[in-house]
Amino acid sequence: MPKHIWILPFVMLSLIMGIIGGWLRLGWAQFNITEAAFHHGIIMTGSFMGALISMERAVVMKNKSWFLIPILAILALPLNLFVFTQIAIISLVLSSAGLTFLMYIQSMKVKEASHYVITLGAFCWAVGNALLLKSDFIPMVVPWWIAFLLFTIVGERLELSRFLPVKKIYVILLYVLIAGVFASFFIPFHFGGSRITGILISLIALWLLRFDMARISVKKKGEYRYIGLGLIVGFMWLLVHALIMIFLEKHSLYYDVWVHSFFLGFAFSMIWAHAPIIFPAVVKVKRLIYHPGLYIPWLFFQLTLIGRVWASFVGNIELRQFLGVANGWIILLMFLSMALSYFWNKSRDFKAFN
């Protein structure tokens, strides 16, 4: 195992604290860690997802000092929990600036347009963190965090799908849509900025559903079908997120369904789908983490999330809390299932070798 593997438990601890914070915000106080609730979004976006993406990108660099980037993102977790909030945000600003610089270097080496999209995503994370440091106002920052994950994931999909026979005009169209989303952040809310963003994101979702290699993978068997299905469901969640932006702005629980349709529906669906590709690369092993049993927690994750979003839409607060709490437990179960799948495959390899 590589030396940087010790970072992963702290990434998972950030996830656990983020989930506990989410439970508290739903009103379920079995684990009463107040600061986890107060900094729920910062922990999930920065100390978990930011650290995970930074670690994935640092792995390919020869100089291991690049691992300081995910370490800075993780460091924000204890700083937030022990009420050193300003220092925690500074740590995230440094981490996101480091990721932007790292992606810039990789873009200069590879010179692929997809890498520029990922670099733009890292830049959006840095902008969001800088705005948070200045304003301490999460709702203003969330669109920049969404752009961070959206551009990173779309860039990675372009990177993995670059050999598909997609006409150049359609690829150019996607880059125009990405640029449009970025530009739409500068349109004021009262001029319909969020609706314009929603329309552009819906078009990106439709593009992915039509042209991404997931449509090919889902027709295959085993691991490839699992990845393809996960990607397609994630793209559908992105479309739902966009439709919420377009049509539900005045709903009383708009913020809840807007945020969680993206960060849980889209982003976590992408994590589940990419895990068989990314995890072996990060820990530098050749064994797969796929097992057919992964479909069970994956399905329950999707069902509880659909139920939670629906409960928010109809205003059923009790059902929203129940399904939100269940969704958090299933996220942890999903990661446990992936770990068990890895060790199961490892034991099978060992028996086959002997």
Side-chain angles (χ1 to χ4, degrees):
M1 285 288 184
K3 292 181 179 179
H4 63 262
I5 196 70
W6 66 268
I7 299 175
L8 273 179
F10 293 97
V11 174
M12 294 308 300
L13 179 62
S14 299
L15 173 65
I16 293 167
M17 289 296 106
I19 289 173
I20 289 173
W23 286 339
L24 287 167
R25 294 174 76 88
L26 285 168
W28 195 67
Q30 298 301 309
F31 304 95
N32 194 11
I33 305 174
T34 307
E35 293 302 317
F38 190 73
H39 302 296
H40 168 65
I42 302 174
I43 293 169
M44 289 297 284
T45 308
S47 296
F48 173 60
M49 291 184 178
L52 196 63
I53 291 169
S54 300
M55 189 174 177
E56 175 198 351
R57 288 292 160 180
V59 161
V60 301
M61 304 297 284
K62 290 183 179 180
N63 190 335
K64 299 310 173 186
S65 61
W66 288 107
F67 283 105
L68 181 62
I69 297 172
I71 291 170
L72 283 168
I74 293 166
L75 183 61
L77 174 67
L79 290 171
N80 273 315
L81 294 181
F82 292 102
V83 204
F84 297 104
T85 308
Q86 288 293 100
I87 302 175
I89 298 171
I90 290 171
S91 183
L92 287 174
V93 169
L94 294 173
S95 178
S96 53
L99 180 60
T100 304
F101 184 54
L102 185 154
M103 283 311 308
Y104 172 76
I105 291 173
Q106 290 186 0
S107 299
M108 292 299 100
K109 289 180 179 179
V110 178
K111 297 188 185 298
E112 290 281 347
S114 59
H115 276 65
Y116 296 124
V117 175
I118 300 172
T119 305
L120 180 61
F123 175 73
C124 288
W125 185 33
V127 170
N129 291 334
L131 288 173
L132 184 62
L133 183 64
K134 182 180 180 180
S135 68
D136 196 29
F137 187 52
I138 294 287
M140 182 179 72
V141 172
V142 169
W144 293 97
W145 288 347
I146 286 175
F148 161 47
L149 295 175
L150 177 63
F151 296 161
T152 299
I153 292 166
V154 172
E156 289 182 345
R157 295 314 306 160
L158 282 167
E159 189 178 3
L160 292 169
S161 302
R162 63 187 182 276
F163 297 117
L164 290 181
V166 179
K167 290 183 179 180
K168 190 174 182 180
I169 185 66
Y170 295 125
V171 177
I172 292 172
L173 172 62
L174 180 59
Y175 289 126
V176 170
L177 293 173
I178 291 167
V181 170
F182 181 79
S184 70
F185 292 159
F186 300 95
I187 301 173
F189 177 86
H190 51 276
F191 285 126
S194 63
R195 280 198 175 93
I196 294 170
T197 305
I199 291 169
L200 292 167
I201 290 177
S202 70
L203 293 173
I204 290 175
L206 291 171
W207 192 99
L208 291 168
L209 284 166
R210 173 62 182 85
F211 295 111
D212 188 86
M213 67 183 298
R215 61 193 171 89
I216 298 172
S217 299
V218 77
K219 296 176 183 177
K220 298 181 180 181
K221 296 180 179 180
E223 177 193 17
Y224 297 105
R225 178 174 293 172
Y226 168 80
I227 293 171
L229 181 62
L231 290 169
I232 288 171
V233 171
F235 300 154
M236 292 175 67
W237 272 114
L238 184 62
L239 182 59
V240 169
H241 167 76
L243 294 174
I244 288 168
M245 293 186 74
I246 298 167
F247 297 110
L248 290 182
E249 269 188 317
K250 295 183 179 179
H251 193 280
S252 59
L253 289 173
Y254 165 76
Y255 185 80
D256 180 68
V257 293
W258 170 60
V259 167
H260 292 100
S261 61
F262 181 87
F263 286 102
L264 290 179
F266 176 63
F268 268 89
S269 291
M270 293 296 103
I271 291 173
W272 307 145
H274 284 119
I277 302 169
I278 293 174
F279 180 78
V282 169
V283 300
K284 295 190 176 181
V285 296
K286 293 182 179 180
R287 296 181 189 92
L288 303 177
I289 65 164
Y290 168 75
H291 186 278
L294 290 176
Y295 278 109
I296 298 172
W298 178 87
L299 179 60
F300 278 105
F301 169 81
Q302 300 296 341
L303 291 175
T304 53
L305 182 57
I306 290 169
R308 175 191 172 157
V309 171
W310 174 253
S312 296
F313 177 71
V314 300
N316 190 328
I317 303 302
E318 291 78 12
L319 183 61
R320 171 176 169 263
Q321 183 193 77
F322 173 78
L323 291 173
V325 171
N327 195 243
W329 281 114
I330 292 167
I331 288 172
L332 298 177
L333 177 62
M334 188 69 186
F335 277 104
L336 177 62
S337 299
M338 289 191 294
L340 292 174
S341 297
Y342 167 75
F343 287 111
W344 170 261
N345 290 329
K346 182 179 179 180
S347 66
R348 289 184 64 187
D349 288 351
F350 178 78
K351 289 177 181 178
F353 181 76
N354 288 281

